[in-house]
Amino acid sequence: MTTTSDSTKKTTSAPAEKYRRYLQMLKKAGLRLTPQRMAICAYLAHTERHPSAYQVYEELAATHPGISRATVYNTLNTLRELGAIVELSFGSDHTHYETNTQPHVNLICLRCHKIIDYYGDPGVDALMERVRQETGFQSVAVKLDLVGFCAECRLQRLDEIRAMLKTAAQDKFPQTRNSKEEIV
Amino acid sequence: MTTTSDSTKKTTSAPAEKYRRYLQMLKKAGLRLTPQRMAICAYLAHTERHPSAYQVYEELAATHPGISRATVYNTLNTLRELGAIVELSFGSDHTHYETNTQPHVNLICLRCHKIIDYYGDPGVDALMERVRQETGFQSVAVKLDLVGFCAECRLQRLDEIRAMLKTAAQDKFPQTRNSKEEIV
DNA sequence: GCCGTAAATTAGATTGGTTCTAAATATAAA
DNA sequence: TTTATATTTAGAACCAATCTAATTTACGGC
């Protein structure tokens, strides 16, 4: 997959940079850089999805046999407390994590539970600064979620309603620009 | 408690309006307005906190003996799927709900897990419209969380670091304006 | 490079919030 | 009223997440 970036982008690969940042944050907090923690960070840095703690453990256990459930959960909690990753929540599932703290918008579908990453950040930096000045709250990460219905589910909903009246109608919706869709 | 509002505010009491909106959304979805559901909506409409599903059940069971755990959980899930309430997540606790879908910012402290509601909405409406046009995603609720450290915890962190060097120093931080603090 | 110690990991048991199940009940329509 | 459907109920079951105590490891100081 070619990293087709439009504007500001470093020459270093994104996962490598993410990885370094994770380790840096652990180190700065005075925590030890154990092989297990490094493996977990590497996994988080390379994933493009929003894995649950359980998923991280399962997939990591495959490549790193012997790694403990407790270690994975502890490390994820630690990273969360450091603000390195952000806990996501959407219906009826387990705890999922956002490993990308670059300000962006999560479009969370109420119907199919799909999460779409939307880049095209509004003035969040300005907001963070305003909040800091007015309340003393120091932000380390942003989580901006729009909860609603994705294009497909929106159409399905409309179709369901229309079907009750007469016949299902066809409609067009714009192509997905500026956003990257993910299966959770 | 007097509702000291600064700018735009209806003459109707906020809880009453919230309550009507909940019932309206249930009705619009073709669901029955049972006494249990109405009690749950009333509870959600009147709370100023971010209750967990468990809390809702426990506190409701006190005033409505005989109400079932399953009913409370089912209704909360239904309201969430309708976008009437929004699931919040922050470390190591159970699922909490945001009952106020009026666009605002949740300041979530990584250290003490306190949630501060901050009103002073950034251009979220414009963002929602842009998202709809570009991706076809139809928003029904916004969740804007800033994860970080509240003023108190920030000072404590600084003190901890300073204490390791010499003596704890005193510092001042601005009063909390434009925001309402809550104990979860 | 080796030691000592506090930190981290491990395997497994445990917990407890949430969901599931089947039966009973209530609701709205015919 | 009768009927069909939706909802509620009580309690059992689930399972992700946490906890425990013992073992192992990382890393600054010697």
Side-chain angles (χ1 to χ4, degrees):
Chain A
M1 183 191 284
T2 49
T3 320
T4 34
S5 59
D6 24 307
S7 47
T8 46
K9 193 59 134 229
K10 301 281 176 56
T11 47
T12 330
S13 82
E17 192 160 338
K18 249 169 109 182
Y19 179 65
R20 280 194 305 111
R21 213 172 49 77
Y22 287 151
L23 296 191
Q24 198 181 58
M25 291 181 86
L26 286 172
K27 200 166 198 174
K28 207 168 72 178
L31 299 169
R32 293 178 184 170
L33 268 51
T34 65
Q36 291 88 342
R37 281 180 178 159
M38 287 162 74
I40 294 164
C41 289
Y43 175 89
L44 295 175
H46 286 278
T47 189
E48 292 270 324
R49 308 177 49 224
H50 301 95
S52 68
Y54 196 82
Q55 272 172 25
V56 176
Y57 167 68
E58 279 210 322
E59 300 191 21
L60 220 46
T63 47
H64 296 70
I67 198 166
S68 170
R69 210 185 315 275
T71 301
V72 173
Y73 278 85
N74 286 339
T75 302
L76 290 174
N77 279 334
T78 302
L79 287 170
R80 177 178 46 71
E81 280 165 17
L82 292 174
I85 59 178
V86 177
E87 193 176 337
L88 286 178
S89 60
F90 46 97
S92 50
D93 243 27
H94 336 319
T95 307
H96 285 249
Y97 291 102
E98 172 63 73
T99 68
N100 174 17
T101 49
Q102 175 194 144
H104 67 279
V105 185
N106 283 123
L107 309 182
I108 302 179
C109 183
L110 287 166
R111 187 196 183 96
C112 65
H113 294 159
K114 183 167 55 192
I115 300 185
I116 303 168
D117 280 357
Y118 175 87
Y119 299 93
D121 158 63
V124 180
D125 288 335
L127 173 67
M128 279 166 56
E129 178 55 23
R130 202 170 82 217
V131 165
R132 199 192 61 71
Q133 286 181 358
E134 293 187 11
T135 70
F137 186 94
Q138 176 86 58
S139 305
V140 299
V142 193
K143 180 165 57 169
L144 177 43
D145 299 341
L146 291 184
V147 185
F149 298 97
C150 70
E152 288 82 358
C153 288
R154 189 158 66 107
L155 286 185
Q156 271 184 256
R157 283 184 95 209
L158 288 175
D159 284 353
E160 280 171 15
I161 295 165
R162 284 183 186 137
M164 298 178 87
L165 303 173
K166 223 173 183 182
T167 342
Q170 289 286 29
D171 204 2
K172 268 279 154 295
F173 54 89
Q175 286 306 305
T176 308
R177 285 189 291 135
N178 211 354
S179 61
K180 183 177 59 181
E181 194 169 308
E182 297 173 20
I183 321 94
V184 175
Chain B
M1 183 189 283
T2 48
T3 320
T4 33
S5 58
D6 24 308
S7 48
T8 46
K9 193 61 131 223
K10 303 281 175 55
T11 47
T12 330
S13 81
E17 193 160 336
K18 250 168 108 183
Y19 179 65
R20 281 194 305 111
R21 212 172 49 79
Y22 288 149
L23 296 191
Q24 199 182 57
M25 293 181 86
L26 286 172
K27 200 166 198 173
K28 206 168 70 178
L31 298 169
R32 292 181 184 166
L33 268 50
T34 65
Q36 291 89 339
R37 282 179 177 157
M38 288 162 75
I40 293 165
C41 289
Y43 176 88
L44 295 176
H46 285 277
T47 187
E48 292 270 325
R49 307 175 51 221
H50 301 96
S52 68
Y54 193 82
Q55 273 172 23
V56 176
Y57 167 67
E58 279 211 321
E59 299 190 21
L60 220 46
T63 47
H64 296 71
I67 197 167
S68 169
R69 211 185 315 274
T71 301
V72 174
Y73 279 86
N74 287 339
T75 302
L76 290 174
N77 279 334
T78 302
L79 288 170
R80 178 177 46 70
E81 281 164 18
L82 293 174
I85 59 179
V86 177
E87 191 176 336
L88 284 180
S89 60
F90 47 98
S92 51
D93 243 28
H94 337 320
T95 307
H96 285 249
Y97 290 102
E98 173 63 74
T99 68
N100 173 19
T101 49
Q102 173 195 145
H104 67 281
V105 186
N106 283 123
L107 308 182
I108 303 179
C109 183
L110 287 168
R111 186 195 185 98
C112 65
H113 296 157
K114 183 168 54 192
I115 299 185
I116 303 168
D117 280 356
Y118 175 87
Y119 299 93
D121 161 61
V124 180
D125 288 336
L127 173 66
M128 281 166 58
E129 178 56 22
R130 202 169 82 216
V131 164
R132 199 192 60 73
Q133 286 181 359
E134 293 187 11
T135 70
F137 186 94
Q138 177 86 56
S139 305
V140 300
V142 193
K143 180 166 55 170
L144 177 43
D145 299 342
L146 291 184
V147 184
F149 298 95
C150 70
E152 288 82 358
C153 288
R154 189 158 66 106
L155 286 186
Q156 272 183 258
R157 283 183 96 209
L158 289 175
D159 284 352
E160 279 170 15
I161 296 166
R162 283 182 187 139
M164 299 177 87
L165 303 173
K166 226 174 181 182
T167 341
Q170 288 287 30
D171 205 4
K172 268 278 154 298
F173 56 88
Q175 286 305 306
T176 309
R177 283 190 294 136
N178 211 354
S179 61
K180 183 175 61 182
E181 193 170 308
E182 296 173 22
I183 319 94
V184 173

